[in-house]
Amino acid sequence: MLFASRSFCCLGIRPSQLGTDLLSRSRKLSASATMAFRHKNTRRIEGLDSNIWVEFTKMAADPSIVNLGQGLPDISPPSYVKEELAKAAAVDRLNQYTRGFGHPSLVKALSQVYERVCGRKIDPLTDILVTVGAYGSLFSTIQALIEEGDEVIIIEPFYDCYEPMVRMAGAKPVFIPLRYKNGGNSVSSSDWVLDPAELANKFNSKTKAIILNTPHNPIGKVFTREELQVIADLCIKHDTLCISDEVYEWLVYKGHKHIKIATLPGMWERTVTIGSAGKTYSVTGWKLGWSIGPQNLIKHLQVVHQNTLYTCPTPLQEALAQAFWIDYKRMDDPDCYFYSLSRELESKRDRMAQLLQGAGLQPVIPDGGYFMIVDVSTLNVDLSDVDEKQPYDYKFVKWMITSKKLSAIPLSAFCGPETKRQFEKYIRFCFIKKDSTLDAADVILKNWNKQTA
Amino acid sequence: NFLSLSLQAKMSRPVQAQRLEGIDKNIWVEFVKLAATYSTVNLGQGFPDFPPPDFLTEAAARALGGENHMLHQYTRAFGHPPLVKVLAQFFSKLLGRDLDPMTNVMVTVGAYQALFCCFQAFVDEGDEVIIIEPFFDCYEPMVKMAGGLPVFVPLRPQAPKDGKLMSSADWQLDPAELASKFSEQTKAIVLNSPNNPLGKVFSRGELQLIADLCVKHDVLCISDEVYEWLVYDGKEHIRIASLRGMWDRTVIIGSAGKTFSVTGWKVGWTVGPNRLLQHLRTVHQNSVYHCATVAQDAVAQGFQRELELYGKPESYFIQFPKELQQKRDWLVQSLDAVGMKPIVPEGTYFLVADISEFKSDVPDVPDSDEPYDSRFAKWMVKNKGLATIPLSSFFCGAHKNNYSHFIRFCFAKEEATLKAASDILQKWKQEKTGP
């Protein structure tokens, strides 16, 4: 700035005032330059700022759009679930803090339900942690057990948060794709399989954990006992942990059974199993989930929890506990919500498949969960003039939202960098929607060809 | 062979991540259990034992009783639109600044999670974070979990004016000592005003001191203001973000739990410049992502009401501190009457008292690992049924024995509870003074 004031001097301009201005401005500039450096984000979140949902939920928020994108029910939760929350909200002491690791009546209810399912004793105080959604369980598990130098195997396509959470913990994600094995005329989620040799190759001495998601989002695959045994054998051989995301555990359709990998021999002691109230009771906005496992693993999740948010909301936990008691008592009864929701969704699944087939598409029929993926390349929508940097499915979904008023989620959001090309012709539809929503989708799909012609 | 060697190496390593080292202990787990087991009168953990205001529970009931079942589904991840909108309006007013609800506000699962997001977003391995003692206990383990180094600076008690009871205002920072804590490695300072556990409400001068150092050393300020409405004797809660040069480097943290007496709802928020909040959003979207919807909706309605009644006598933000001040004064009197010397808090619903005159009941144990006040508090809950929290809980390991004879009382309690506490103390005093 001294240089500048000298030049101004030469031009006959008195530098003193200008110099002061320049001086103070450059001081501010250098101060803000230091400020810019200091106030940078930490290394652990570098590159983790973008998020598919922030982008696509905003686009689909317009009420004129038929939203089959984000996995959120527009059907009502069962009335007794809503009633239990209204009841809990009216009890004074439930407006204050409860036990940090989980409200006593809730962990008790969870232990009863899962003792029945797993066929083993589960201590409500030491083997369970209640978290803010299954999302919070994934975070607590990964922060507790994964660190720099670790590798974590992630099966593609994967629920998108697994990768950034593993990276935030300083570890390296190692991807392995599900591959479509031609099984015949109709395409089912069970046609998507892991190659056992390829999987075995991914394990090494650095492999700390594998993340399993069954029933699987987005494909809807329900891993068979044999498939789980392959994974279990490798976990035992390499002393690897298993993080088992089973949020869709009750949503399994005819002919298929949800099996908990933690119940296979040698697996309980190395598995954290994650569940979700949002998916179990169609109350995603309650944001309650849980981690269940052996004390020697859960205790570390509890340490993370006590240093991150300490306790989950009380009234919601109490209401959930009461809902669980109601359904626990009728677990032998087909009217139990765990089974009735599944039946309701199976018919929606079948309807969704029909709608897509009617539009000339061949969806992958899911064996579980409430998502359905479909290859849209057969529609031959030319998007080459659109910004090339985005994968085809991103461009397709954005085009579909604006021109067809129908939203879905692009599948390449659920893949690692190597497989984006493989999956970019698929999009994901969510079918846990009320009849009128599916009717509206029907109209759009029926008119699809008319409009493009 | 190679495989079994590396397997053995893996099996001999602890299963948990290193970031958990030294942060597994937690005072609350132990003391909450003791209170649950032994106490007849619980003035320990900080939560009200009276109901939240009617207008808030009614708002929750309306939300739940209404036709809109979508309140049971996900809302906007960074904060339910009605809530961030009213928070932006409210804080725009308080800070004299135009705030954007989408970028200057983020909702969290209690103020606790807001703190977590701040440390994770800004504290890297080796960064120093200044913490003022005594401090809300989670600051230290959260800094450690982020790989940071906590640097402690104490509030020191000055002698109160003749004949007067000590006030939280008498606990002060030494300016030179504070300045000496700032180094090249200092990333942030955590400010908690009104302060838990002392109840200190930092004055403008004290805040200016801190602000000047933040600006000079280009340090962030994480400002925990959860007790912002609980200030007494006509004192003013001053927001450090409103001091010159501070908005750009401060994250303000607030809590519905403390604001509206609903600690169990776990709704908190952060307010600050977008360039800081963007990083909190990144942590949030990779850790919890969404906060529960219904409670956010009800809190939004609560704030709407307070916005309309701001400054008016019916405002909860005016009525509630009035009620609490009475309770404070009542407890101060009860403690003073029996010889426990209270430090009169200027804010919060906590009060610290010197229990030296009751030491004879709990003899000193030389070479004990446990601080005296902790043993005293445990003895008192087991033998007198009165639950409190030892002040050493709010000091770092090295300083736990600096103030060995203080305990913290929570006075956000029904009259009956406070009276019962007083009865226990009176009876105890009578036993000591003998027949």
Side-chain angles (χ1 to χ4, degrees), chain A residues 303-318:
Chain A
V303 170
V304 172
H305 186 79
Q306 90 195 12
N307 288 298
T308 52
L309 48 97
Y310 201 84
T311 182
C312 295
T314 317
L316 292 166
Q317 291 189 73
E318 176 62 26

Side-chain angles (χ1 to χ4, degrees), chain A residues 75-245:
Chain A
I75 59 172
S76 176
S79 45
Y80 62 91
V81 170
K82 294 187 287 180
E83 274 154 30
E84 288 303 334
L85 184 55
K87 271 199 265 183
V91 178
D92 270 339
R93 64 176 172 79
L94 295 178
N95 288 305
Q96 309 305 334
Y97 292 130
T98 182
R99 176 177 169 268
F101 304 142
H103 188 53
S105 60
L106 177 58
V107 293
K108 187 97 219 297
L110 287 167
S111 73
Q112 301 274 67
V113 169
Y114 286 102
E115 272 178 2
R116 224 193 102 123
V117 172
C118 298
R120 74 176 298 133
K121 195 105 191 54
I122 294 173
D123 184 318
L125 301 183
T126 61
D127 300 346
I128 301 180
L129 173 67
V130 175
T131 54
V132 175
Y135 216 96
S137 270
L138 286 160
F139 184 73
S140 298
T141 306
I142 291 168
Q143 285 285 309
L145 305 172
I146 308 294
E147 60 189 335
E148 190 145 347
D150 289 339
E151 289 183 9
V152 177
I153 298 173
I154 298 176
I155 299 166
E156 298 173 298
F158 53 90
Y159 180 56
D160 73 296
C161 80
Y162 302 161
E163 182 188 352
M165 283 192 185
V166 165
R167 290 194 193 280
M168 190 170 160
K172 177 178 169 209
V174 170
F175 301 104
I176 176 168
L178 284 162
R179 296 181 189 283
Y180 173 63
K181 239 166 85 174
N182 202 328
N185 273 339
S186 80
V187 182
S188 151
S189 60
S190 40
D191 298 326
W192 289 75
V193 297
L194 290 173
D195 179 317
E198 189 181 8
L199 179 64
N201 252 338
K202 302 290 180 177
F203 281 78
N204 61 45
S205 59
K206 293 206 184 93
T207 312
K208 189 69 183 281
I210 178 168
I211 301 179
L212 172 67
N213 178 215
T214 181
H216 182 268
N217 172 12
I219 296 180
K221 177 183 178 62
V222 175
F223 284 71
T224 62
R225 185 174 290 275
E226 294 69 33
E227 289 172 316
L228 293 176
Q229 194 62 62
V230 170
I231 295 170
D233 289 343
L234 286 163
C235 284
I236 291 165
K237 176 176 179 184
H238 294 272
D239 189 27
T240 299
L241 299 173
C242 181
I243 302 171
S244 190
D245 176 353

Side-chain angles (χ1 to χ4, degrees), chain A residues 38 44 53 95-96 143 284, chain B residues 19 73 146 187 263-264 289:
Chain A
R38 285 283 223 175
R44 70 178 62 84
W53 307 108
N95 288 305
Q96 309 305 334
Q143 285 285 309
T284 59
Chain B
R19 69 178 64 82
Q73 306 307 334
K187 190 66 176 284
T263 61
Y289 193 32

Side-chain angles (χ1 to χ4, degrees), chain A residues 61-81:
Chain A
D62 177 347
S64 69
I65 293 167
V66 179
N67 189 356
L68 302 188
Q70 191 186 10
L72 125 133
D74 67 2
I75 59 172
S76 176
S79 45
Y80 62 91
V81 170

